[in-house]
Amino acid sequence: MSIFRVDMSQKTVMSEAEPKGKILGGRALVDYLLIEYGTPTVHPLSQESLFIVAPGLLAGTGAPQSGRLSIGGKSPLTGGIREANVGGAAAHKLSRLGITGIMVEGRCKDWQILKIEAQGAILESAGDIVGLTNYPACDKLRERYGDKVDIILTGPAGEMRLANSTVAVTDPDGRPCRHAARGGLGAVMAAKGLKAIVIDDTGGKVRKPIEGEAFKVAAKAATDAIKSGPATNALHTLGTAMWVDSDNGRGSLPTNNHHLGSFEKHENINATKFTELVKARGGSFGHGCLPGCIVQCSTVFNDQSGKFLTAALEYETIGMLGSNLGIDDLDAIARMDRKCDELGIDTIELGNTIGILNDAGLFEFGDVKKAESYLEEIEQGTAMGRILGSGVAVTAKAFGIDRVPAVKGLGIPAHAARSSKGWAVTYATSPQGADHTAGGVAVEHLSAEGQGDRSRISQIRMAAFDATGLCLFTFLSAASNLIVPMINALHGMKWSEEDYLEFGKDILRQERDFNLKAGIGPGADRLPDWVMREPLPPTNAVFDVPQEDVDSIFNF
Amino acid sequence: MSIFRVDMSQKTVMSEAEPKGKILGGRALVDYLLIEYGTPTVHPLSQESLFIVAPGLLAGTGAPQSGRLSIGGKSPLTGGIREANVGGAAAHKLSRLGITGIMVEGRCKDWQILKIEAQGAILESAGDIVGLTNYPACDKLRERYGDKVDIILTGPAGEMRLANSTVAVTDPDGRPCRHAARGGLGAVMAAKGLKAIVIDDTGGKVRKPIEGEAFKVAAKAATDAIKSGPATNALHTLGTAMWVDSDNGRGSLPTNNHHLGSFEKHENINATKFTELVKARGGSFGHGCLPGCIVQCSTVFNDQSGKFLTAALEYETIGMLGSNLGIDDLDAIARMDRKCDELGIDTIELGNTIGILNDAGLFEFGDVKKAESYLEEIEQGTAMGRILGSGVAVTAKAFGIDRVPAVKGLGIPAHAARSSKGWAVTYATSPQGADHTAGGVAVEHLSAEGQGDRSRISQIRMAAFDATGLCLFTFLSAASNLIVPMINALHGMKWSEEDYLEFGKDILRQERDFNLKAGIGPGADRLPDWVMREPLPPTNAVFDVPQEDVDSIFNF
């Protein structure tokens, strides 16, 4: 296994042996490369900044749900370290080609494609791919490189170097609907002059675990656990839209720019309605975003004429572009989701961004036309579009808005901070910014007690987990006692669960240290002031976890 | 002496005794109030944020050059603590009314005027002052409150809550041409709902030093030193424009978006040309911005028809709106200066902001019309204007520009970092951001050696000095051995020079601690990466002061 170092300034690709004695993959590999080769103080879009692609440490194997791909760099939104992971088949394929990770350095002015195949990797001119939105760009790339390739690409928002831009990855059907969405890594990729990475794994091989039999046993145990997991069937049949009703019920569904925690029209955007529309229009449930997925929570959403509109209309998108904007029209939400996928824009950040325009008198809740017109502005690169495409914190600054739903520059996701208090501790303290996947805490959501401990444990587990390349929905079913045996058998190691958690702690420590060196001190581990002050109906919760509990997160 | 606490939410003004046992004024008082009563983590425009007005600790006396007024708050540009000081007569008048400082809390939605007179202070509706630019606003306020009042006000940029907005103070001629310009404090004032502070000092009294005779002696010694000071005559006869030639000569005059350190057309914007135009048009030199000023470096610049255009066209403005934009037309620079004074916009930040638009293909160096059109956009509050009015860091983000001339979000002033290396250490490390008054270092400007020590000493001295209310140009002539006796005689103390420097160190420590609590860690004490990499013609200097020297600044 080796690491590809791509120097965009020299237009060279070098293969290096992966570092010895380290178990690196996914988030851990992102961190390792950024710390070993990067400089925390450089501008995220500087020539000295790094762009990282890192399959998880179980990628390329038969481990269930193991194909998440980590994308990493210094975030243009937070100014800190950033890892965002995504489904698709790219991680498996890279791993099967013997690639542990890709580190992209330098920059060039003429857009390039990195073509990776069994024979090696080369940079080629991107040519007429540039300027296309993501779906047509992928079509054209397949015309050029063949139908079977998988594609990692930055979209028009990234090309514009907008801070809220994603890295898209094609799903098993070739659609660029899976996104390493949060933190603006699309702009980091684009700042290198790298438009896309195209992977053809012809001749690639499934990775052979060092202890083959033990691996099979461990993978089967994990598979069985996932199959019978508490959320698996619901996710398979409803998709993540299933959380609309539950978050709404507990007062955690962001509504009208985080002014409410439940949406009176939630029945127009919940899983029941979603299912009805999907079925009526010939869409479908039960897709896998990863090859070999068991949960298969992905969905295909067609428009009123039965034509494909978007894949995987996720809970976070429904919450942030739906209820948070007072919009109860799933078609409109799906259109915006598709547009975001085309441009390479994170829907969570965008929902926060359009939401606060209400404070500036520039958006009325429920105004679908206006919301869609703002996406048009981003596409056209108008001054307004550039503001909005730069994320919620910049938009707030430009319009002098002080009620900013963000931590460290990253917009708050669709589990309301005030009524999901454990989760909110994670938003406040994660080195990644306000990230709903950095350490979810669903229990005792209205209680202020014990949330520091819960968030700490969850963040440590998620840090380790994000290195594995396993899907988050594995985590709901398969605890570390099922994960560690797979790692051990693959790599021929003898990690205890304790070792695995220590690995997670190291990840968090490194990330915090990177942020510190980048100028982000512990004082930035705070939710915005208004969540402490403003009760959130209907629970009327405020964020009241004791400050010492929030500050205790890194006591490990 | 007392502190006025203005609660904008309740529309009340309370007078409190100043804290016992503390020598507070200017920057020291700003810091004290922000730390004692403020919360470092709140949004700068939040209702919980504070806005501070603080005369220096020698204000209201006969000490020469002692009328600088400190304005303070949490900066919308840096997110850290901010003190910006300004001339005018307001500081003296407040002090003569027995007011040590003003702390504004809370906020109201209907704009208010704080009227201060000997009888006390009240809040009144701002009425039709709102929306006016600064000169007409001051005319109207004098119609309402009488010709003799001094005015502290936020302009249209502040009303728009733009991060690059100033607090204007009227000069002895009643013109709002003196600005506490840097850091965006105009928006902080505006966020309180406070449009202006109007001061009528009828019945006010010159402060009586505790040791009257000693004070007279000390003040005379300082006065004599200033009169015979090395720069006094030059500043009196040429204004600060005198630095155009000297900075140009040493390769430190920012030119064409910091791409050059000297400007081939510098003779069109230097003191010689400036003097020629001032004289030909009936303008004048030798104005004082403070009552009783000895240096009198301020100038009146008339337009081609001989009509008043602007007062005090300063070096920093000429550098940042002139050479840094490739503009060699003093009339154009003066028009932009006037427009900035009208709107309440910092010229240093704006010059950086328009300069980087060249990287986005939106500005050609020397294009006066375009530069002026951008000021129009700010005035009109267009989306483009809101980007530009938010300062250079936000503008860079919106346009994806990674070559950002800023530290901690504050634009780099007109002594180029690469060829004024000691000064650059101050830009990097000052808790105030890239501030040319936070600790200038002019000597050995191209040497990388000893600059950490020089910057440290200069920053400590300037921190103490910014508490005194003395003008910076006193500092050039009167060292602490002349300042300390005035403080001692006024307050009846026995400070040694050592004590005075310790006072300066405390100020820096407090500010750094505030920033740390606000989330800004020591890793933010860095110049942007490109100044380490990109040689600056004609000296071809890069910033190469050893990192350990930069990091040693707070070792005291």
Side-chain angles (χ1 to χ4, degrees), chain B residues 7-298:
Chain B
D7 184 334
M8 299 301 296
S9 305
Q10 306 294 325
K11 293 189 185 159
T12 56
V13 184
M14 307 267 281
S15 171
E16 265 186 19
E18 59 178 4
K20 294 268 177 227
K22 289 189 179 289
I23 298 302
L24 293 172
R27 184 168 166 183
L29 180 58
V30 163
D31 292 355
Y32 171 79
L33 293 174
L34 283 174
I35 290 161
E36 194 71 15
Y37 298 98
T39 309
T41 47
V42 299
H43 192 284
L45 308 183
S46 158
Q47 63 194 72
E48 294 175 43
S49 197
L50 300 176
F51 175 74
I52 314 283
V53 177
L57 53 84
L58 289 168
T61 71
Q65 325 278 104
S66 62
R68 301 286 295 184
L69 181 70
S70 288
I71 304 291
K74 183 172 173 177
S75 165
L77 281 174
T78 71
I81 200 163
R82 183 70 213 171
E83 181 264 359
N85 61 64
V86 54
H92 275 314
K93 293 199 174 173
L94 287 171
S95 201
R96 286 170 191 187
L97 289 170
I99 300 169
T100 303
I102 303 169
M103 179 167 89
V104 185
E105 310 164 77
R107 72 170 155 207
C108 65
K109 284 192 176 171
D110 49 325
W111 291 98
Q112 300 289 304
I113 307 271
L114 178 65
K115 168 78 192 300
I116 299 178
E117 50 192 2
Q119 291 75 24
I122 49 163
L123 287 164
E124 297 182 349
S125 170
D128 58 4
I129 308 298
V130 179
L132 297 176
T133 63
N134 282 331
Y135 276 72
C138 286
D139 288 342
K140 217 155 196 164
L141 284 165
R142 276 187 295 265
E143 280 173 28
R144 199 187 290 178
Y145 294 106
D147 277 346
K148 285 182 190 165
V149 296
D150 285 85
I151 302 164
I152 301 166
L153 81 163
T154 184
E159 287 183 25
M160 284 190 269
R161 299 164 66 114
L162 292 174
N164 178 18
S165 55
T166 70
V167 174
V169 176
T170 46
D171 75 355
D173 298 311
R175 296 167 178 140
C177 61
R178 313 306 313 187
H179 290 253
R182 307 219 67 201
L185 297 170
V188 179
M189 181 174 184
K192 308 276 103 190
L194 183 60
K195 174 64 188 170
I197 300 173
V198 174
I199 305 156
D200 181 344
D201 75 335
T202 308
K205 287 171 197 160
V206 174
R207 283 172 76 186
K208 276 199 182 154
I210 290 182
E211 296 159 18
E213 205 49 44
F215 187 83
K216 261 189 210 163
V217 171
K220 181 159 188 323
T223 303
D224 291 346
I226 296 164
K227 277 186 179 160
S228 60
T232 300
N233 188 51
L235 282 165
H236 184 75
T237 53
L238 301 172
T240 56
M242 72 181 214
W243 281 304
V244 171
D245 277 347
S246 57
D247 271 82
N248 186 72
R250 68 190 223 173
S252 274
L253 180 69
T255 302
N256 293 3
N257 185 26
H258 302 274
H259 281 296
L260 300 168
S262 68
F263 185 35
E264 61 172 357
K265 298 175 185 165
H266 68 98
E267 289 181 352
N268 295 341
I269 60 169
N270 68 4
T272 311
K273 182 73 181 178
F274 183 68
T275 309
E276 185 189 311
L277 292 183
V278 167
K279 289 186 177 163
R281 294 159 178 194
S284 54
F285 287 90
H287 284 255
C289 82
L290 305 164
C293 175
I294 308 164
V295 177
Q296 297 177 324
C297 66
S298 189

Side-chain angles (χ1 to χ4, degrees), chain A residues 43 48 76 161 400 529 533, chain B residues 43 48 161 397 400 529 533:
Chain A
H43 192 285
E48 295 175 42
R161 300 164 66 114
D529 46 61
R533 192 169 61 220
Chain B
H43 192 284
E48 294 175 43
R161 299 164 66 114
K397 204 160 206 177
D529 47 61
R533 193 169 58 221

Side-chain angles (χ1 to χ4, degrees), chain A residues 186-374:
Chain A
V188 178
M189 182 174 183
K192 308 276 102 191
L194 184 60
K195 174 64 188 169
I197 300 172
V198 174
I199 304 156
D200 181 344
D201 75 335
T202 308
K205 288 172 195 161
V206 174
R207 283 172 76 186
K208 275 198 182 158
I210 290 182
E211 296 160 17
E213 205 48 46
F215 187 84
K216 261 190 211 163
V217 171
K220 180 162 190 317
T223 303
D224 290 347
I226 296 164
K227 277 186 179 160
S228 61
T232 300
N233 188 50
L235 282 166
H236 184 76
T237 52
L238 301 171
T240 57
M242 73 182 215
W243 280 304
V244 171
D245 277 347
S246 57
D247 270 83
N248 185 73
R250 69 191 223 174
S252 274
L253 180 69
T255 301
N256 294 2
N257 185 25
H258 302 274
H259 281 296
L260 300 168
S262 67
F263 185 38
E264 61 173 357
K265 298 174 185 166
H266 69 97
E267 289 181 353
N268 294 341
I269 59 169
N270 67 5
T272 311
K273 183 72 181 179
F274 183 69
T275 309
E276 185 189 311
L277 292 184
V278 168
K279 288 188 176 161
R281 294 157 178 198
S284 54
F285 286 90
H287 284 253
C289 81
L290 304 165
C293 175
I294 308 165
V295 176
Q296 297 176 326
C297 66
S298 188
T299 51
V300 167
F301 191 94
N302 292 344
D303 67 14
Q304 280 143 317
S305 69
K307 205 179 132 205
F308 171 81
L309 181 53
T310 195
L313 187 56
E314 306 283 8
Y315 167 70
E316 290 287 333
T317 301
I318 296 171
M320 298 312 300
L321 293 178
S323 53
N324 193 53
L325 303 184
I327 290 174
D328 70 335
D329 174 352
L330 275 173
D331 282 303
I333 299 166
R335 281 196 305 275
M336 290 192 279
D337 181 57
R338 170 64 181 269
K339 179 67 94 177
C340 286
D341 285 353
E342 290 281 15
L343 300 179
I345 290 279
D346 172 31
T347 57
I348 297 176
E349 192 69 28
L350 183 70
N352 278 299
T353 305
I354 297 177
I356 64 163
L357 292 182
N358 180 264
D359 280 355
L362 295 170
F363 180 72
E364 293 298 320
F365 301 123
D367 189 342
V368 168
K369 266 198 183 165
K370 195 77 186 171
E372 292 195 276
S373 79
Y374 285 133

Side-chain angles (χ1 to χ4, degrees), chain B residues 325-327 354 357-358 361-368 370-371 374:
Chain B
L325 302 185
I327 290 174
I354 298 177
L357 292 182
N358 180 264
L362 295 169
F363 180 71
E364 292 298 319
F365 300 124
D367 189 343
V368 168
K370 196 74 187 175
Y374 285 134

Side-chain angles (χ1 to χ4, degrees), chain B residues 354-509:
Chain B
I354 298 177
I356 64 162
L357 292 182
N358 180 264
D359 280 355
L362 295 169
F363 180 71
E364 292 298 319
F365 300 124
D367 189 343
V368 168
K369 265 196 181 165
K370 196 74 187 175
E372 292 196 275
S373 79
Y374 285 134
L375 263 163
E376 292 294 334
E377 299 247 17
I378 297 175
E379 180 162 23
Q380 288 158 26
T382 64
M384 185 66 180
R386 285 198 162 272
I387 293 173
L388 303 180
S390 299
V392 67
V394 163
T395 301
K397 204 160 206 177
F399 290 102
I401 294 163
D402 64 281
R403 189 179 173 280
V404 192
V407 180
K408 300 187 185 79
L410 197 72
I412 293 179
H415 307 282
R418 285 163 287 179
S419 51
S420 290
K421 296 184 187 182
W423 228 315
V425 175
T426 299
Y427 298 163
T429 57
S430 167
Q432 303 279 338
D435 187 325
H436 66 293
T437 67
V441 181
V443 297
E444 301 278 351
H445 58 101
L446 289 175
S447 166
E449 277 173 42
Q451 302 296 14
D453 292 341
R454 290 193 189 98
S455 171
R456 184 188 313 105
I457 293 164
S458 185
Q459 287 194 59
I460 291 167
R461 287 185 181 277
M462 279 311 303
F465 190 81
D466 281 340
T468 64
L470 293 166
C471 162
L472 182 60
F473 300 146
T474 304
F475 186 69
L476 297 176
S477 318
S480 46
N481 66 320
L482 294 170
I483 297 168
V484 173
M486 293 192 286
I487 299 172
N488 280 342
L490 177 65
H491 293 277
M493 313 194 311
K494 297 205 180 305
W495 263 3
S496 64
E497 280 181 61
E498 202 62 30
D499 295 329
Y500 174 74
L501 294 180
E502 203 49 52
F503 174 66
K505 289 177 191 173
D506 278 345
I507 288 172
L508 288 177
R509 281 190 202 105

Side-chain angles (χ1 to χ4, degrees), chain A residues 49-128:
Chain A
S49 197
L50 300 177
F51 175 73
I52 314 282
V53 176
L57 54 82
L58 289 168
T61 72
Q65 325 278 105
S66 62
R68 301 286 295 183
L69 182 69
S70 288
I71 304 291
K74 181 170 173 177
S75 165
L77 282 173
T78 70
I81 201 164
R82 184 68 212 170
E83 181 265 358
N85 61 63
V86 55
H92 274 313
K93 293 198 175 176
L94 287 171
S95 200
R96 287 171 188 186
L97 289 170
I99 300 169
T100 304
I102 303 170
M103 179 167 89
V104 184
E105 310 166 75
R107 72 170 154 207
C108 64
K109 284 193 174 170
D110 49 325
W111 291 97
Q112 299 289 304
I113 307 263
L114 177 65
K115 168 77 192 300
I116 300 178
E117 50 192 1
Q119 290 75 22
I122 47 164
L123 287 164
E124 298 182 348
S125 169
D128 58 2

